[in-house]
Amino acid sequence: MNAVSQTGPSIRFRGRSFMAMTLVADVPLAAWLADFDVWLQRSPGFFTGRTVVLDLAGTAQSKAEVERWISELATRGVRLVGLEGVRPSLVDAGMPPILRGGRDATLAAAEFAVAPAEARKPVEPVNLLVDRRVRSGQSIVCLEGDVTIIGSVGAGAEIIAGGSIHVYGTLAGRAIAGATFGASAQIFCSKLEAELLAVDGIYRTAEDIDDAFRGKAVRVSTDDETLRLTAL
Amino acid sequence: MAKIITVTSGKGGVGKTTTTAAIGAALARTGDKVVVVDFDVGLRNLDLIMGAERRVVYDFVNVIQGDARLPQALIKDKRLDSLFLLPASQTRDKDALTEEGVDRVIGLLAQHFDWVICDSPAGIERGATLAMRHAEIAIVVTNPEVSSVRDSDRIVGILDAKTLKAERGETVDKRLLLTRYDPVRAARGDMLKTEDVLEILSLPLLGIVPESADVLKASNMGVPVSIHEPNSAPARAYQDAALRLKGENIAMELPRQRGGLFSKLLRRAA
């Protein structure tokens, strides 16, 4: 009797790949959990409905430890779909299966920013508007999009943007654009006195900025791995 | 192995940063390899006094947090080949400096330089205690006035308690540097006398730097005063102090009132 050869409802298998997030464990467990709790407090509900793989490489030496990791995470609402970096002898049938051959993938920044409970809305471009002078020692960071400053940026102040930076005033501090979106970002200012300009990691300090642009309205972009300054 | 110096005072505005730059430059001028380290995270100024503010890319905090390697953050002086600056971060606060991070960075610097000079922030909190942690020599910068002297006395107590040397049961070599000494006011008697300061603090004297417009001029131009106009009175005072740090025996010169010749000629009214 051969069941497989019988006609009837067929069972189909397909190979598909899914994106899972890997949580990297670290020792000691207690310290890691303390950090994790602090983090979770800031982003409650982050793990709701997420597929999570736990990477235990170099952290768990016994089955009891593996069990402890799984249960501690379960009490925090993290359901594991798989384990990585752990010896097969430490894992039994009741635990999530061991996964191999994972490849790194970039989790889009937007995926981290959007609360999982929210339905998908059309993505609105992020622009952080700062309607005051940015003073020495202050740091304005917006990795999700652009930063617009209505006012000046003092020497010793710092603007870091995922996208472009616009300064309607004197830019005397540091401007670091393209931290997330890379070379498409630009910097605009109505008066350039900057200590440092950077787009997509390519930087230039005040020393190397052509004096011809000092005090002028300037646009800064990247062009084939170099910074290009143009008068506005 | 480097000699590690902390320039400290407790009180602000007495001349710590000016002194750090001036002593650093004076030592480098003798050919020694010198690095000056700004510990004043959040209120950095040493880069301005050194004239390096236009070349800062990475800073002390970046190195501690592993965002940059130490050689990337060190800025070489344009005038002296053997003088380097490790700038502080302006946008962080003092908590960004950790004990382990400071230990690591100072340890690395000590391997490559003859002198590591730490510019302490004002106050007696974390930043100041971290800046003095590794000190073998402490330069206590003091103005000849009561509040500065009292704060210096406080900082000397802390130097004897909170440094690594103190923890090992040794003592930090503490030297008094009297700055903003005004010979005219001293002559009039409306300033603490050098002897009084020395008696209150009972520290060996490293030098007396006169109050002078040259200091302000040099600061505004971003040049350490000891190499700006090397023959000016404050420049010579700092150069002598640097030589004393190197163990040379230089006679102490008390800054005197200007116009010495005339006052000598017309000393007595008959």
Side-chain angles (χ1 to χ4, degrees), chain A residues 76-225:
Chain A
R76 287 164 176 80
V78 182
R79 278 190 310 158
L80 299 171
V81 299
L83 300 172
E84 219 187 340
V86 61
R87 273 178 285 142
S89 59
L90 303 185
V91 176
D92 63 30
M95 295 182 186
I98 296 179
L99 299 180
R100 282 193 194 82
R103 274 172 301 160
D104 283 338
T106 24
L107 289 167
E111 203 177 329
F112 278 98
V114 177
E118 277 178 49
R120 286 203 182 172
K121 286 184 211 150
V123 183
E124 203 179 302
V126 176
N127 182 19
L128 178 68
L129 185 77
V130 180
D131 204 352
R132 59 180 164 79
R133 184 188 162 84
V134 183
R135 295 190 181 274
S136 185
Q138 290 176 335
S139 183
I140 307 284
V141 182
C142 174
L143 294 178
E144 295 81 24
D146 296 357
V147 176
T148 306
I149 314 279
I150 316 289
S152 293
V153 178
E158 185 177 65
I159 314 294
I160 300 175
S164 297
I165 296 173
H166 309 259
V167 180
Y168 295 94
T170 304
L171 170 59
R174 296 154 71 100
I176 298 164
T180 311
F181 303 113
S184 62
Q186 302 195 10
I187 300 169
F188 305 86
C189 65
S190 25
K191 193 176 176 198
L192 182 77
E193 299 286 349
E195 293 172 331
L196 179 137
L197 296 167
V199 177
D200 192 25
I202 304 158
Y203 66 81
R204 198 174 287 181
T205 58
E207 190 94 335
D208 301 321
I209 295 172
D210 191 341
D211 279 338
F213 293 109
R214 298 231 138 242
K216 302 276 166 53
V218 175
R219 162 185 186 171
V220 185
S221 53
T222 51
D223 182 16
D224 193 24
E225 295 291 296

Side-chain angles (χ1 to χ4, degrees), chain B residues 5-238:
Chain B
I5 301 182
T6 292
V7 180
T8 187
S9 72
K11 192 176 184 302
V14 296
K16 285 182 296 296
T17 303
T18 303
T19 297
T20 304
I23 297 268
L27 283 169
R29 216 169 71 128
T30 69
D32 289 356
K33 277 196 85 180
V34 181
V35 59
V36 289
V37 185
D38 195 346
F39 272 78
D40 205 347
V41 174
L43 286 171
R44 76 166 188 223
N45 275 323
L46 188 55
D47 56 323
L48 285 171
I49 305 293
M50 300 278 294
E53 77 280 6
R54 288 157 60 95
R55 290 186 287 147
V56 177
V57 180
Y58 296 110
D59 57 51
F60 198 176
V61 172
N62 293 142
V63 177
I64 283 184
Q65 296 184 341
D67 296 332
R69 288 176 301 110
L70 185 56
Q72 292 179 298
L74 286 174
I75 302 174
K76 190 175 170 188
D77 189 78
K78 287 195 147 178
R79 299 150 296 234
L80 296 165
D81 282 343
S82 59
L83 180 58
F84 289 79
L85 162 72
L86 181 58
S89 168
Q90 179 76 346
T91 48
R92 314 294 185 85
D93 57 36
K94 290 189 173 67
D95 295 335
L97 293 183
T98 58
E99 236 169 54
E100 304 76 49
V102 170
D103 290 356
R104 185 172 63 85
V105 172
I106 297 292
L108 281 171
L109 290 174
Q111 285 172 20
H112 296 101
F113 289 91
D114 300 317
W115 301 90
V116 179
I117 308 184
C118 306
D119 183 21
S120 170
I124 52 174
E125 285 84 31
R126 190 180 169 78
T129 50
L130 280 174
M132 66 172 65
R133 188 171 152 78
H134 293 266
E136 292 159 52
I137 304 173
I139 300 178
V140 180
V141 182
T142 307
N143 293 164
E145 45 130 342
V146 280
S147 62
S148 175
V149 171
R150 181 195 282 177
D151 289 0
S152 290
D153 201 29
R154 177 89 172 93
I155 216 79
V156 170
I158 295 171
L159 281 165
D160 286 336
K162 288 202 175 169
T163 55
L164 286 178
K165 277 205 137 194
E167 282 169 21
R168 290 197 300 262
E170 302 164 29
T171 49
V172 176
D173 178 4
K174 299 170 291 287
R175 317 277 187 94
L176 176 68
L177 186 76
L178 211 53
T179 55
R180 312 195 71 164
Y181 182 87
D182 187 340
V184 179
R185 285 176 59 210
R188 275 208 308 264
D190 50 7
M191 202 173 66
L192 279 182
K193 288 203 197 72
T194 310
E195 307 83 71
D196 296 340
V197 180
L198 282 172
E199 200 202 293
I200 298 170
L201 295 177
S202 60
L203 295 179
L205 190 60
L206 181 66
I208 302 173
V209 182
E211 169 89 46
S212 162
D214 294 325
V215 177
L216 195 65
K217 224 187 294 170
S219 296
N220 282 336
M221 292 183 66
V223 184
V225 59
S226 53
I227 56 169
H228 178 239
E229 276 182 38
N231 289 318
S232 66
R236 277 187 288 123
Y238 276 120

Side-chain angles (χ1 to χ4, degrees), chain A residues 27-38:
Chain A
V27 278
L29 172 62
W32 189 91
L33 284 172
D35 286 347
F36 184 77
D37 287 337
V38 171

